Amino acid sequence: MGLFWVVKLLFLSLLSLNILSCFSSQGENFSKFGYPYIRRASTFSSSSSSSASSSGRQNTFDYIIVGGGTSGCPLAATLSQNFSVLLLERGGVPFSNFNVSYLKNFHISLADTSPESASQPFVSTDGVINSRARVLGGGTCINAGFYTRASTRYVASAGWDPKLVNESFPWIERQIVHWPKLAPWQKAVKDSLLEVGVSPFNGFTYDHIFGTKVGGTIFDKFGRRHTAAELLASGNPAKLNVLVHATVQKILFDTTGKKPKAVGVIFKDENGSQHQAFLSKRLSSEIIVSSGAIGSPQLLLLSGIGSKAELKRMNLSVVLANKFVGKGMSDNPMNTVFIPTKNAVEQSLIQTVGITKLGLYIEASSGFGQSSNSIHCHHGIMSAEIGQLSTIPPKQRTPKAIEEFIQNKQYLPHEAFKGGFILEKIASPLSKGHLNLTSTNIEDTPSVTFNYFSHPSDLRRCVDGIRMMEKIVRSKHFSNYAQCDDVSMEKLLNMSVKANVNLIPKHTNVTASLEQFCRDTVITIWHYHGGCNVGRVVDSDYKVLGVNGLRVIDGSTFNNSPGTNPQATVMMMGRYMGVKMLRDRLGRTAGV
Ligand SMILES: Cc1cc2nc3c(=O)[nH]c(=O)nc-3n(C[C@H](O)[C@H](O)[C@H](O)COP(=O)(O)OP(=O)(O)OC[C@H]3O[C@@H](n4cnc5c(N)ncnc54)[C@H](O)[C@@H]3O)c2cc1C
Ligand SMILES: *[C@@H]1O[C@H](CO)[C@@H](O)[C@H](O)[C@H]1NC(C)=O
Ligand SMILES: *[C@@H]1O[C@H](CO)[C@@H](O)[C@H](O)[C@H]1NC(C)=O
Ligand SMILES: *[C@@H]1O[C@H](CO)[C@@H](O)[C@H](O)[C@H]1NC(C)=O
Ligand SMILES: *[C@@H]1O[C@H](CO)[C@@H](O)[C@H](O)[C@H]1NC(C)=O
Ligand SMILES: *[C@@H]1O[C@H](CO)[C@@H](O)[C@H](O)[C@H]1NC(C)=O
Ligand SMILES: *[C@@H]1O[C@H](CO)[C@@H](O)[C@H](O)[C@H]1NC(C)=O
Ligand SMILES: *[C@@H]1O[C@H](CO)[C@@H](O)[C@H](O)[C@H]1NC(C)=O
Ligand SMILES: *[C@@H]1O[C@H](CO)[C@@H](O)[C@H](O)[C@H]1NC(C)=O
Ligand SMILES: *[C@@H]1O[C@H](CO)[C@@H](O)[C@H](O)[C@H]1NC(C)=O
């Protein structure tokens, strides 16, 4: 490094702009979207991994955050107020992506299995089709938008400071959350929930209270989506650096001390070139993994933190043995009852919820989008496109395979896709699973097992939920609204089995056994969590046990999914931990 650069770096750091010097001036910086600090990973000018000790060292940061998702974005924005932050996200930006930006494209986005897609499909070993976010903003760019807070009981059990929690939620809400315009299907389900006794009606509220309510949404009244990526606008442009198409492959440790200390990361840019970024030498600089419930345990394993046997199986050297990494994974089972209607209904995702005392939540979705013919019929959340297309890996999508897909789709019962469905979600499932590495390539989703309904309590609650959905369908409000000629539950359940898109073999006796119906038709509401659980992989401050300079802050730390739907609390947690870390370092001078 020449003297000129030393002087320039000193000069720039006086202006708090030292970080900009790490990036080449070429290439898009997304200033056209109002985010000049977002750049493509290839603009990062570190040397290749072979010369880490020399010029690579100049790229140092107070915080390096891996994963620009639901928690990573608010966390980065907050920490950048007083410290230099590098946020690394493997996906692209959501801003100009039509599939991401509009409610009406929810299912199209999930069905897009190209490498550029904001969603990355996977199938758990249970045979349930699922999806991971791969875009700046994470899950908030592909989800159904429903926004509702964790209960005060959940906040207490997490050990969070309720005052700071109550300041952190509104920070999110002011920026990206809206009141919904209640769609007719949602209104019918809301009224029916009250009719069957899921009461009182708590009106529009973010709070988690027993009864029926209308929640918030990240879609505005024009059906445009607002995501966690927009929270970056609250960051400090002089200290915030965001790289997209930056796939972190490994965390680097200094193992010479008593405890291993995280010091940097290796990441790959959009052209396949490798880079390294390091923490500054300041005390308490940290790497924070916010890569989601699959990405975070996977990255710890690939960095040498995990069960000895699992690491040995993959020929990875052990930095720290911890058999709990990738364990305690859980996905809340979702089961649906399809209800055909006489007239086509308006598209809606989730706007209302019944918070029952049975340990389950009732929600609903409806609508066909623009077309309802046999090829294009889709169904908002559980579209046949999501299910069947995504099971054809991109490379095998030959014209023949696509033809077969279309053929198979014709066997789906059309009437199921006219109308909408009611869903039940099991709260706090007791069934737990795990993930295993299938390769040492970070781009390969690990093998994930959720063991749905392996615990009898989960199955019992599912059956209770189906019975409650039956009552809703039979309620005066609902039958008046749906105007179906025949609402025999047996028929509806039969149809729901046929319309189901999981890969689990179906039985014919499901109407005789609601347990069988639950097992055969279980799908996901994409609230999977765990893998880096508090008390086993991280402590109550989310610091990884047994190493220094490393935390995990995202849904992988949850023992239970918060609220009826988790995104509000995941975003809150990013803001909350950012403020807490600033206060721990700076005291009241943090100014937050
Ligand atoms: C289809 C769908 C519908 C949903 N509907 C709702 C809903 O209506 N309401 C609700 O509250 N919740 C909903 N959820 C759940 C909610 O969106 C998720 O629980 C939440 O977004 C998870 O946040 P996270 O921060 O843990 O992970 P994510 O938001 O997934 O963030 C992880 C980020 O890390 C990145 N990453 C991973 N590995 C690496 C790496 N090695 N290097 C760099 N970057 C990496 C990923 O690309 C991603 O952007 C839904 C989820 C899905 C998928
Ligand atoms: C981003 O690009 C714009 C236009 O190319 C340029 O004017 C601006 O200075 C750049 N910002 C940074 C922080 O490099
Ligand atoms: C949207 O998704 C569809 C497939 O579902 C895909 O063909 C299209 O290219 C995607 N569009 C964008 C802008 O990514
Ligand atoms: C936080 O807000 C909730 C309502 O959202 C309220 O019930 C609770 O009492 C508040 N807690 C504190 C400490 O202010
Ligand atoms: C890297 O990819 C970008 C496109 O994202 C391209 O503009 C650039 O020229 C590439 N750089 C190299 C060194 O290949
Ligand atoms: C681990 O190393 C052994 C011996 O070199 C090799 O046979 C095996 O394929 C390797 N496994 C993986 C997953 O790379
Ligand atoms: C996968 O992980 C589980 C739990 O961590 C472990 O019991 C199992 O042996 C692993 N499977 C393989 C194939 O290694
Ligand atoms: C439901 O399906 C079963 C098994 O296929 C069948 O015996 C039964 O008659 C069906 N019931 C209705 C109402 O269609
Ligand atoms: C349904 O069928 C499966 C296998 O075909 C059987 O194991 C199960 O006991 C049956 N359930 C009922 C209630 O008949
Ligand atoms: C931290 O940042 C805030 C807002 O940018 C500022 O008001 C405060 O003075 C800063 N504190 C320190 C110690 O730098």
Side-chain angles (χ1 to χ4, degrees), residues 146-162 164-170 172-173 205-210 213 215-216 353 355 361 425 427-428 542 558 560-573 576:
F146 193 54
Y147 180 97
T148 172
R149 296 182 181 184
S151 65
T152 49
R153 223 174 109 199
Y154 188 99
V155 168
S157 72
W160 291 331
D161 166 9
L164 183 53
V165 166
N166 280 7
E167 288 161 15
S168 300
F169 275 124
I172 309 289
E173 286 148 15
T205 178
Y206 296 134
D207 290 347
H208 188 95
I209 335 167
F210 285 118
K213 73 167 194 172
V353 60
I355 302 178
Y361 307 125
K425 170 191 165 180
S428 311
Y542 304 98
F558 296 154
N560 290 303
S561 187
T564 64
N565 300 62
Q567 71 166 342
T569 309
V570 183
M571 285 190 273
M572 184 283 293
M573 183 193 197
Y576 175 98

Side-chain angles (χ1 to χ4, degrees), residues 29 31 36 39:
N29 67 19
S31 63
R39 294 162 173 269

Side-chain angles (χ1 to χ4, degrees), residues 167-474:
E167 288 161 15
S168 300
F169 275 124
W171 186 85
I172 309 289
E173 286 148 15
R174 277 196 299 275
Q175 300 183 72
I176 61 166
V177 187
H178 300 261
W179 286 34
K181 186 177 162 284
L182 207 58
W185 184 266
Q186 301 287 329
K187 184 179 180 309
V189 171
K190 174 199 80 145
D191 292 338
S192 314
L193 277 163
L194 293 169
E195 192 180 321
V196 306
V198 185
S199 54
F201 180 53
N202 293 311
F204 171 84
T205 178
Y206 296 134
D207 290 347
H208 188 95
I209 335 167
F210 285 118
T212 295
K213 73 167 194 172
V214 176
T217 172
I218 56 174
F219 293 105
D220 65 23
K221 64 177 181 213
F222 306 109
R224 268 188 325 231
R225 184 192 288 275
H226 297 270
T227 76
E230 292 173 34
L231 301 172
L232 292 170
S234 298
N236 174 357
K239 290 186 181 282
L240 179 56
N241 304 275
V242 182
L243 293 179
V244 290
H245 304 293
T247 306
V248 175
Q249 297 164 299
K250 206 178 171 57
I251 301 162
L252 301 168
F253 293 91
D254 175 355
T255 52
T256 55
K258 231 167 150 187
K259 271 186 184 180
K261 166 150 185 16
V263 292
V265 295
I266 302 180
F267 66 95
K268 215 167 71 177
D269 69 21
E270 72 273 22
N271 300 328
S273 305
Q274 270 192 352
H275 303 267
Q276 300 196 355
F278 291 94
L279 290 177
S280 60
K281 283 272 157 59
R282 288 160 85 152
L283 223 64
S284 59
S285 292
E286 287 180 84
I287 292 171
I288 303 146
V289 181
S290 299
S291 303
I294 291 169
S296 290
Q298 180 189 20
L299 185 61
L300 290 192
L301 286 164
L302 290 178
S303 306
I305 300 182
S307 102
K308 270 191 195 152
E310 179 82 350
L311 296 174
K312 185 158 177 240
R313 190 170 64 81
M314 301 311 290
N315 296 338
L316 292 162
S317 52
V318 180
V319 170
L320 180 87
N322 182 337
K323 64 179 183 194
F324 295 118
V325 177
K327 300 250 181 72
M329 307 260 333
S330 197
D331 191 23
N332 303 70
M334 165 161 124
N335 291 77
T336 55
V337 174
F338 283 82
I339 300 131
T341 54
K342 209 168 204 165
N343 303 309
V345 298
E346 188 187 306
Q347 187 185 12
S348 70
L349 298 176
I350 302 166
Q351 298 178 322
T352 190
V353 60
I355 302 178
T356 73
K357 293 196 167 155
L358 301 170
L360 58 93
Y361 307 125
I362 305 281
E363 300 178 351
S365 176
S366 65
F368 310 95
Q370 303 80 357
S371 58
S372 58
N373 66 45
S374 62
I375 306 299
H376 294 110
C377 70
H378 66 73
H379 212 271
I381 282 186
M382 257 344 281
S383 114
E385 278 92 340
I386 299 173
Q388 298 187 342
L389 251 193
S390 59
T391 60
I392 306 177
K395 279 185 196 141
Q396 293 162 28
R397 285 168 146 220
T398 58
K400 188 169 160 277
I402 290 169
E403 184 52 37
E404 268 174 30
F405 157 72
I406 290 169
Q407 284 300 320
N408 285 337
K409 258 185 94 161
Q410 285 168 354
Y411 300 120
L412 290 172
H414 295 175
E415 64 274 26
F417 296 92
K418 201 171 174 232
F421 62 83
I422 304 176
L423 69 90
E424 64 159 312
K425 170 191 165 180
I426 305 299
S428 311
L430 298 174
S431 309
K432 300 288 170 194
H434 62 265
L435 63 73
N436 294 92
L437 295 177
T438 56
S439 82
T440 53
N441 183 353
I442 191 80
E443 278 157 51
D444 298 337
T445 295
S447 153
V448 189
T449 303
F450 292 118
N451 293 317
Y452 299 102
F453 300 127
S454 62
H455 195 288
S457 155
D458 298 350
L459 190 59
R460 201 168 52 237
R461 285 185 283 163
C462 178
V463 171
D464 290 345
I466 305 291
R467 294 209 172 102
M468 179 167 278
M469 287 196 266
E470 176 169 10
K471 282 195 211 154
I472 290 170
V473 171
R474 288 190 197 292

Side-chain angles (χ1 to χ4, degrees), residues 39-51:
R39 294 162 173 269
R40 285 177 189 279
S42 62
T43 63
F44 189 81
S45 58
S46 82
S47 50
S48 72
S49 57
S50 53
S51 54

